[in-house]
Amino acid sequence: MNYPKVFRVRQHFDSTRLDDVAATVRRELESLDLQEQVRPGQSVAVPVGSRGIANLAEITRAIVDYFQSIGARPFIVPAMGSHGSSTAEGQRAVLESYGVTEASVGCPIRSCVETVVLGRTPQGFDIHFDRIAYEADHRFLFNRIKPHTSFTGSVESGLMKMLLIGLGNPEGARTYHRAIRQFTFDEIIRGTAPLVWEKCPVLGGLAIVENAYDETMLLKGVRPEAFEPTERDLLTVARENMPRLPFDTADLLLIDRIGKDISGTGLDTNVVGRKTNDHRAADDEWPKIGRILLRGLSPASHGNAIGIGIAEFCRSRVLREADWEATRLNVLSSGRVSAAMAALDYETDQDVLDVALKTVGLAPPEQVRLLWIADTLHLAEVECAEIYLDEARNRSDLEILTPPRNLPWDADGNLPDLGYFS
């Protein structure tokens, strides 16, 4: 088969970032005057989620250091819904894989999946809340603000989602994701948040926005009453600074790896244009990708292969590396069950690419609009089929790094990961 030749581009995104993350954390927390509410010796639960947030361990340590400096006794609580195989040990392991250990952050990690029921919403479902966080004297949240991979609203992924779904543990996560099939997240927040604030108030939060290079761009201390309006404003900033593909259409997208550390759905549906439909962009959704081919699973995903069902094709090794029990638990909790349905698999890259190229339309293989990325979080450099070259030459936001060249097959018919091909 005649394969497309590829050239590499570097995308130029806004590179604004914080140079001293720990100092900024402390400054933002000091602006909230938390020492007026926290007495010496009181416990403070600091929930930490399962996303691969930039500088996660450093931010966590800085929050812990601040509360210790005012005489409090902070501790870490995993707040990741059903992730980590829905077990206390599994969730602790997820944190440790991100470098969040008792030694690195300087305080205990207390993990459980038990909940207390705070009450019932007007929509008719129970509000679950992590038992250990509930029993603490205080709670302080931090999370990244970004567009959610499944639902759309004025508030999507961030502090409110961690408060409700993350701290709801497996039972709460299942309940909320079922509710989202009948109500908007905005409606759920309005029905749930008042009772949570009453029964289990929080001190405040730290909102994180990252740039398109997976770096910490902005940190903002937020008082509880300002969670929703602040998240609405920062969601706009986050959306504007998300990484994106260099072109709006592609016949075939090769992805080196998917994983929970990359996105809640393994691959960010906002990046690949499949937020509302696993295999086709909505009419007003961009980009529009014909086929997706997955090459591997991130080790930090711990076998959770959610997102495999959003692709049409994959290497067989993805199926072998998957922890199907963890994957099924996750999709059953999230409600996006199709995201765990296996793609068509083939043993080598050459085998699967030969098949995929024949399904994209009438264009001969060498003229297929192919893009090749490491994952949906790291898009600074992308391999592009030669057919994009003229357009790339006329784009000020793209820097062409190489001339078109052949795909770098090895003797077994496989490709290297993107980082090992230049």
Side-chain angles (χ1 to χ4, degrees):
M1 181 174 288
N2 295 320
Y3 302 102
K5 289 188 175 182
V6 293
F7 66 97
R8 182 170 297 212
V9 298
R10 177 178 293 139
Q11 302 199 75
H12 294 295
F13 302 120
D14 184 343
S15 60
T16 301
R17 68 173 186 176
L18 294 175
D19 292 325
D20 193 334
V21 170
T24 306
V25 170
R26 186 171 187 91
R27 183 171 64 249
E28 290 299 314
L29 267 61
E30 287 175 343
S31 73
L32 301 177
D33 296 323
L34 301 177
Q35 71 278 3
E36 296 181 3
Q37 302 174 63
V38 181
R39 295 192 300 274
Q42 288 189 321
S43 61
V44 180
V46 181
V48 182
S50 57
R51 297 292 183 266
I53 296 173
N55 301 305
L56 178 62
E58 184 179 1
I59 292 170
T60 306
R61 178 68 191 234
I63 293 171
V64 168
D65 286 347
Y66 169 78
F67 281 110
Q68 289 175 338
S69 74
I70 62 173
R73 295 184 295 108
F75 64 91
I76 303 304
V77 173
M80 54 188 74
S82 63
H83 304 170
S85 298
S86 293
T87 68
E89 297 78 11
Q91 296 196 348
R92 185 185 184 105
V94 170
L95 295 188
E96 291 176 346
S97 72
Y98 292 151
V100 179
T101 66
E102 293 186 346
S104 70
V105 301
C107 74
I109 296 175
R110 300 175 184 167
S111 180
C112 83
V113 292
E114 300 169 22
T115 62
V116 295
V117 176
L118 303 182
R120 199 164 180 83
T121 71
Q123 293 93 347
F125 59 85
D126 289 339
I127 303 172
H128 290 265
F129 201 88
D130 182 275
R131 177 182 60 78
I132 293 178
Y134 174 80
E135 292 172 352
D137 294 316
H138 301 283
R139 288 140 294 276
F140 183 85
L141 306 183
F142 76 99
N143 202 13
R144 178 177 58 198
I145 310 299
K146 69 180 293 293
H148 195 268
T149 54
S150 296
F151 62 79
T152 300
S154 61
V155 171
E156 296 187 20
S157 235
L159 298 171
M160 293 302 298
K161 181 171 177 283
M162 172 171 275
L163 181 68
L164 304 182
I165 298 177
L167 282 167
N169 288 348
E171 187 60 37
R174 284 190 288 269
T175 300
Y176 287 119
H177 282 109
R178 288 168 61 194
I180 286 171
R181 300 188 69 81
Q182 294 179 240
F183 307 98
T184 68
F185 193 51
D186 290 346
E187 290 172 328
I188 291 171
I189 289 174
R190 287 194 293 272
T192 306
L195 193 55
V196 175
W197 295 134
E198 176 190 346
K199 296 290 186 68
C200 204
V202 300
L203 291 167
L206 182 72
I208 304 168
V209 176
E210 295 178 355
N211 64 25
Y213 298 104
D214 189 30
E215 299 169 324
T216 308
M217 181 181 192
L218 181 154
L219 295 169
K220 184 174 181 58
V222 189
R223 298 182 186 281
E225 64 273 14
F227 271 24
E228 286 189 61
T230 300
E231 283 206 51
R232 283 197 295 269
D233 293 342
L234 293 183
L235 181 59
T236 299
V237 177
R239 186 175 283 113
E240 291 170 350
N241 286 279
M242 281 191 67
R244 58 185 177 272
L245 295 174
F247 302 102
D248 284 340
T249 62
D251 299 315
L252 179 61
L253 175 64
L254 273 62
I255 305 179
D256 281 352
R257 57 185 175 266
I258 61 171
K260 292 297 294 185
D261 55 317
I262 295 162
S263 172
T265 46
L267 66 163
D268 195 323
T269 56
N270 297 284
V271 171
V272 301
R274 298 188 176 186
K275 185 165 181 169
T276 58
N277 187 309
D278 284 349
H279 295 287
R280 182 178 180 179
D283 290 343
D284 60 349
E285 187 177 21
W286 298 91
K288 298 189 186 299
I289 308 298
R291 299 281 192 254
I292 295 177
L293 190 163
L294 306 179
R295 303 187 54 241
L297 186 61
S298 165
S301 196
H302 299 276
N304 190 329
I306 187 173
I308 191 171
I310 299 173
E312 286 74 32
F313 301 97
C314 72
R315 287 271 303 273
S316 299
R317 65 178 182 179
V318 179
L319 304 185
R320 290 194 296 269
E321 294 169 359
D323 179 336
W324 289 108
E325 182 178 1
T327 303
R328 289 165 181 161
L329 281 170
N330 193 182
V331 298
L332 288 172
S333 295
S334 70
R336 194 163 188 164
V337 295
S338 56
M341 295 181 180
L344 294 178
D345 70 289
Y346 298 84
E347 191 60 37
T348 71
D349 285 316
Q350 198 161 41
D351 290 338
V352 67
L353 190 58
D354 285 354
V355 173
L357 285 170
K358 295 174 183 176
T359 70
V360 299
L362 295 175
E366 63 272 18
Q367 294 181 22
V368 165
R369 297 171 68 86
L370 178 146
L371 297 175
W372 177 10
I373 64 175
D375 56 57
T376 57
L377 186 59
H378 302 97
L379 293 169
E381 293 187 7
V382 178
E383 290 288 339
C384 311
E386 188 175 16
I387 197 168
Y388 291 108
L389 188 58
D390 287 343
E391 182 178 350
R393 285 172 173 156
N394 294 311
R395 291 266 299 274
S396 61
D397 61 323
L398 298 180
E399 178 184 355
I400 298 174
L401 300 180
T402 72
R405 63 258 199 258
N406 293 324
L407 289 171
W409 300 111
D410 68 14
D412 296 321
N414 290 314
L415 299 169
D417 286 344
L418 201 67
Y420 297 96
F421 172 46
S422 61

